[in-house]
Amino acid sequence: MRHSRVRGRAPGTRRGAPAGFAALVLSATTIVVLQAHSPAQAGALAAPKAPRVVFAESFENGQGGTPTLVTGYTGTAPVTQTYTADPAFLANCNGWIVSRQAPDAVPPATGCGGWWGSVKQLAGTLGKWAGGDPQTNHAVTAYTHADPGAGKTQIQAAKPVPIGAPDRFLTFSVDVAEVNCYANHAKLGFYLLDGGKAVPTFTTPIEPCVDASTVIDGIAVGTYTSDGPVLFGGSTVGLRLVNFQGSGYGNDHAYDNVRVLDVTPQLDVDYSPASAEVGKPVTLTFTITNTSELAVKKGWSFTERLPAGLAPTGATPATTCADATVTPSAGQVKVTGTLPKGTASCTAKVEVTAARAGTYETCADDLAAHAGVLLPACARVRFVPPVLVFDAHAYGVKASTPPVGIPPLAPSDLSCATKPGEDRNTLAGAPVPGLGSLAVLTTRASGVVDAAGLRTATASATTARLDLLRGVITADEIVATAKAADDDTGKVTAAGGVRLTNLRINGRQVVDPEVNLTVDIPQVAKVVVNEQVPGPGGRGVTVNAIHVRTLAGVEVIVSHARASLTVPGQTCPII
């Protein structure tokens, strides 16, 4: 089937010439098949596609050289459509299916008289236009050898046509060739039939003598599409072609290739960016793409359920669609609007976010309601935990013994790092002048990211064979641990603890101490066991297994561990 292309105006011709000129009406949008573009980048959408033909009648089934009145014709299976018409379009050279194979002698029943040759020529010209054989192509005559009267039905399908699904935009198209344009012109209008209700699919009737697609064999011819598609609620539809020209002076044409076209726009869904941190906004874009004839599509609508956990941010929606409403609410987004004539596509944009990390998917099944749009493919967005900064530190011992001090021994440090890593240290023996001694010191500081993107900072310090203050404080081993971890919402939880093996203070054994357990050694010192200090905002914790302050002003910390996860840009805690 060839599609119409406007190439210029054809002049009118006089009745009596072997053939005349016709023209295509500008108000009837021509069918132009456009090549769909490949996506230029991720998320790019295709150009408008050609309308889908849901029903076509070529008037060829079982036809040969003998003319057939259209009411005696049956279309191809499985529809096997039959047709009716107003009596005025079944007489006076109207309503006959003919081809150039027809006999030269005028069949008396046709009522065509001296115009029989022109009728046959119109059928052949329509065949050339559609890319078929002009000798065998059949078309239906409408040569109006007498006044038919205005608003009469030229053809009507006897039974509804299945269209596949409800709530589609439908329109009609037809191939028409017309001659004798110096006189009155045919004025054709298509109607959808919803039971007994006739719904027009045009704003201006098709007038083939006004603007021509092309001229073949001296005859103007083209494919005409109604310019007012209808949002049709049923899954079957009736069709009717009406001629509003009541005169038989002129109004000389033939028609072929009656089609019902599905011109429903395509709905597509996209998230941008495709990945974001939890709590950050992402734009959910609905794109409504017209079909290639670019006719107006008024009144489409859809309600999209949002994936559980995804919610509008409250930002004002944006749209390029006409007559549009975009209503985000808890759990869904409702959009209604219009694609104006000549518009390839329009968009509606809503900001959404998620409080938890994960992949969120929107698919066709998530449409709670829709009318006038084709269903979209799936779109996905991934929310990831925030990229928090690791900060982890550990050491075996640190002392302040005026006038001098002992710096942190066997330190391990992972300082303000966004990338995961680990630091370890070991020191075999550490005397503490004037205070005592320690054996092996082992420390570790690390930051890890798991498969889900969650972050954990940890620190640990182990001290073996502790002996302080000449045996007042002893232990086989003491261990301090600190840990800070985020969850899929970005919330950080910090925890710490100690593990003590045979710790004795002033002769008393300490087992499973509570946080910040304080032990007084009369006239000597104050000792805090399992000392824990929360970090800023609860994002970390510092743990000292043992913290000794003597009356002489000496301060000793044994087995220190600190871990935190910090928001980028904020200052990391200082040891």
Side-chain angles (χ1 to χ4, degrees):
M1 180 186 301
R2 182 177 296 175
H3 300 282
S4 58
R5 298 176 291 278
V6 176
R7 295 183 180 174
R9 183 180 298 274
T13 60
R14 300 259 174 207
R15 184 183 290 269
F21 296 93
L24 282 175
V25 62
L26 284 175
S27 63
T29 309
T30 56
I31 301 175
V32 182
V33 178
L34 300 178
Q35 179 67 38
H37 302 311
S38 298
Q41 59 185 30
L45 300 172
K49 295 182 179 180
R52 183 173 67 94
V53 178
V54 296
F55 173 78
E57 181 58 79
S58 63
F59 303 104
E60 297 293 340
N61 189 40
Q63 300 305 294
T66 303
T68 302
L69 198 61
V70 71
T71 52
Y73 171 81
T74 300
T76 58
V79 178
T80 59
Q81 186 64 261
T82 58
Y83 300 93
T84 63
D86 190 278
F89 279 99
L90 296 173
N92 301 311
C93 207
N94 297 321
W96 287 91
I97 302 173
V98 301
S99 73
R100 290 184 183 178
Q101 295 173 299
D104 293 334
V106 182
T110 64
C112 290
W115 309 115
W116 183 243
S118 294
V119 167
K120 294 169 58 178
Q121 190 172 5
L122 287 172
T125 299
L126 285 166
K128 281 188 178 181
W129 169 247
D133 185 347
Q135 291 302 120
T136 61
N137 184 71
H138 290 79
V140 183
T141 62
Y143 216 81
T144 60
H145 201 35
D147 293 345
K152 300 295 179 65
T153 297
Q154 277 196 215
I155 189 170
Q156 178 171 319
K159 54 187 176 182
V161 173
I163 58 174
D167 298 319
R168 300 293 184 95
F169 279 101
L170 300 180
T171 192
F172 291 127
S173 76
V174 65
D175 294 352
V176 182
E178 185 170 14
V179 295
N180 301 322
C181 290
Y182 68 92
N184 295 313
H185 307 157
K187 295 182 178 181
L188 307 177
F190 284 109
Y191 291 84
L192 295 173
L193 302 182
D194 186 2
K197 182 181 178 181
V199 183
T201 66
F202 58 92
T203 57
T204 303
I206 294 168
E207 194 172 349
C209 273
V210 172
D211 287 283
S213 288
T214 191
V215 175
I216 298 175
D217 298 332
I219 298 175
V221 63
T223 297
Y224 302 82
T225 303
S226 295
D227 64 351
V230 172
L231 181 53
F232 195 79
S235 56
T236 63
V237 63
L239 59 150
R240 177 186 295 165
L241 174 62
V242 173
N243 193 338
F244 296 99
Q245 178 58 258
S247 175
Y249 179 63
N251 196 12
D252 300 327
H253 60 286
Y255 62 91
D256 193 7
N257 294 323
V258 176
R259 292 169 290 265
V260 179
L261 303 177
D262 184 340
V263 290
T264 305
Q266 175 67 52
L267 172 64
D268 288 292
V269 184
D270 181 57
Y271 289 100
S272 179
S275 180
E277 287 186 12
V278 292
K280 296 294 180 66
V282 166
T283 299
L284 170 58
T285 300
F286 301 100
T287 301
I288 303 89
T289 302
N290 211 344
T291 42
S292 60
E293 89 296 343
L294 301 184
V296 62
K297 308 294 161 60
K298 183 178 178 61
W300 48 260
S301 64
F302 58 89
T303 300
E304 183 79 61
R305 288 189 294 260
L306 296 175
L310 206 63
T313 64
T316 302
T319 182
T320 61
C321 303
D323 306 325
T325 61
V326 183
T327 310
S329 59
Q332 67 180 29
V333 178
K334 183 176 182 179
V335 184
T336 65
T338 294
L339 277 168
K341 180 180 179 180
T343 300
S345 65
C346 68
T347 60
K349 297 176 182 287
V350 177
E351 272 195 3
V352 295
T353 191
R356 292 186 176 277
T359 297
Y360 298 84
E361 184 176 70
T362 298
C363 294
D365 290 344
D366 297 313
L367 286 172
H370 65 93
V373 292
L374 300 179
L375 302 183
C378 294
R380 298 172 184 83
V381 61
R382 178 170 174 77
F383 282 89
V384 298
V387 182
L388 300 177
V389 175
F390 297 112
D391 196 55
H393 303 272
Y395 58 77
V397 65
K398 182 176 78 169
S400 172
T401 56
V404 295
I406 300 173
L409 300 181
S412 292
D413 301 286
L414 185 66
S415 300
C416 279
T418 56
K419 294 183 178 181
E422 182 181 63
D423 188 30
R424 291 176 179 269
N425 207 338
T426 299
L427 179 63
V432 184
L435 294 175
S437 64
L438 310 105
V440 180
L441 307 178
T442 304
T443 61
R444 177 177 177 267
S446 69
V448 297
V449 181
D450 69 12
L454 301 179
R455 298 190 156 223
T456 302
T458 58
S460 65
T462 301
T463 301
R465 296 199 297 278
L466 169 69
D467 186 347
L468 295 178
L469 303 178
R470 297 180 180 180
V472 173
I473 303 172
T474 62
D476 293 338
E477 184 180 77
I478 60 173
V479 179
T481 59
K483 177 181 178 181
D486 66 352
D487 62 14
D488 56 6
T489 69
K491 180 182 178 181
V492 176
T493 301
V498 296
R499 187 175 70 251
L500 309 175
T501 303
N502 197 25
L503 171 64
R504 294 180 179 274
I505 301 176
N506 201 23
R508 295 176 53 193
Q509 187 171 11
V510 179
V511 179
D512 194 20
E514 63 186 21
V515 174
N516 296 326
L517 172 67
T518 301
V519 179
D520 284 322
I521 304 173
Q523 307 299 316
V524 178
K526 179 178 290 187
V527 181
V528 179
V529 182
N530 192 17
E531 184 178 53
Q532 296 190 24
V533 180
R539 291 181 170 272
V541 65
T542 298
V543 179
N544 296 316
I546 296 177
H547 191 168
V548 180
R549 296 180 180 89
T550 70
L551 297 182
V554 175
E555 185 172 0
V556 181
I557 295 175
V558 181
S559 290
H560 167 93
R562 178 171 60 82
S564 67
L565 290 172
T566 306
V567 176
Q570 294 185 357
T571 302
C572 290
I574 300 174
I575 297 176

